[in-house]
Every structure is written in structure tokens, then in C-alpha cells.
Amino acid sequence: MNFKGYNYYAASDYKDYFFYSDGPNGRIKKLVVYEKINDEPLVYNLAFGDEDPETGLLLDRVKSSNDDRDAILATVAHTIGDFSDHYGKPMIHVIGSNIVRTRLYQMSISKIYDEICSIYTVQGYREGVWEFFQKNVNYEAFVVQKN
């Protein structure tokens, strides 16, 4: 993808990533973590958020308001490609920590859908069913898989 994000760093197993958000609220360490949730089909959950500076834990309910949302989401998207290249293109499950964040992810996907669909298959979950992503449809969760 051609969207500008931050430089990110991967752990040796390519399941944990971090990068720094830079903005008016300073430099904030962000974490992206992939955790297997299903073997067949192979599905990993994507979690991301701020790192708690005291515990090192991922905080996915924090709003850092650093005026760099698009760069953050682009960086997370780039980690999906990197992770997928190392793990045989598994399905990546994405859901926001609340309805507002899930809606933000949906709007971000819609905004760049034409470019995304040339690289990824995106499905949305609504009313108990997975379907291919459609713009202007509200979803509860998403699955992304590299083509």
C-alpha cells in the first residue's frame, strides 16, 4: 500500500510489532499484537493500542489524540502484510474495542477500499453472517486476508 505510516519494528516471531506515534501529545509507543484464535481455518486476532509505560501491556481503550490517526492505521495495515508474509496468509480478525472504533476501521477501509481489494480480501460480520465487505454497510467485525 502507498499510504504513509510510521517505521515499525517486529519481534523475531513476527507476532508482536511496535512503532511510535508523534504528535502534539508527544511520542507514544504503539503495539500491534497477533494472537492465534483458530487453527482451521487459520485465524489470528489483531490487537493494537498504546503501550502502558509502567507495565508494558497493550492498552486498547486509550484515546491518545495525537492527530495522526491515518498514519497509525496505515502502519497497522502494513504490519498485516508483513505478518501475513511470514504466516502463510492467515485470516486476520479485526474488531474495535468499542463500536466507535469499529466504525472508524470501517470508514478507513471504505476510504481506501479500491487499493485494499487488490491486495486483500475483506469480509465484514453483521447479523450473524460473514460477507464480502461492502461500502456503506455497518459491520461488527472484519476479517482481512492477503490475496
Side-chain angles (χ1 to χ4, degrees):
M1 289 189 317
N2 296 321
F3 298 99
K4 183 84 170 123
Y6 291 110
N7 291 328
Y8 61 86
Y9 307 91
S12 60
D13 66 359
Y14 296 95
K15 291 182 181 177
D16 300 300
Y17 295 79
F18 75 91
F19 63 95
Y20 292 95
S21 159
D22 290 306
N25 290 321
R27 191 165 206 225
I28 300 169
K29 189 173 183 181
K30 301 285 187 178
L31 303 177
V32 182
V33 176
Y34 293 89
E35 182 178 354
K36 186 165 43 169
I37 57 173
N38 198 59
D39 284 319
E40 192 58 44
L42 185 57
V43 182
Y44 281 83
N45 184 67
L46 182 157
F48 89 94
D50 292 4
E51 179 185 62
D52 183 319
E54 294 179 17
T55 66
L57 297 175
L58 187 147
L59 304 173
D60 66 354
R61 298 187 186 275
V62 173
K63 186 175 180 182
S64 51
S65 300
N66 224 6
D67 293 338
D68 59 349
R69 177 189 68 203
D70 291 345
I72 289 170
L73 293 176
T75 306
V76 172
H78 288 297
T79 72
I80 292 173
D82 190 53
F83 175 81
S84 295
D85 289 344
H86 286 91
Y87 283 91
K89 301 179 183 178
M91 297 166 79
I92 308 297
H93 181 261
V94 180
I95 186 169
S97 58
N98 59 45
I99 293 169
V100 173
R101 288 199 178 167
T102 301
R103 179 80 174 125
L104 169 65
Y105 302 158
Q106 178 176 320
M107 291 185 310
S108 296
I109 292 168
S110 292
K111 187 176 176 182
I112 58 172
Y113 183 71
D114 291 338
E115 184 170 345
I116 289 174
C117 70
S118 67
I119 304 168
Y120 299 99
T121 299
V122 182
Q123 295 181 48
Y125 183 81
R126 69 177 177 129
E127 300 174 0
V129 177
W130 288 100
E131 63 185 35
F132 289 106
F133 183 88
Q134 300 173 59
K135 293 179 181 181
N136 302 315
V137 174
N138 289 328
Y139 294 106
E140 301 164 41
F142 307 93
V143 171
V144 179
Q145 187 172 28
K146 196 166 184 184
N147 296 333

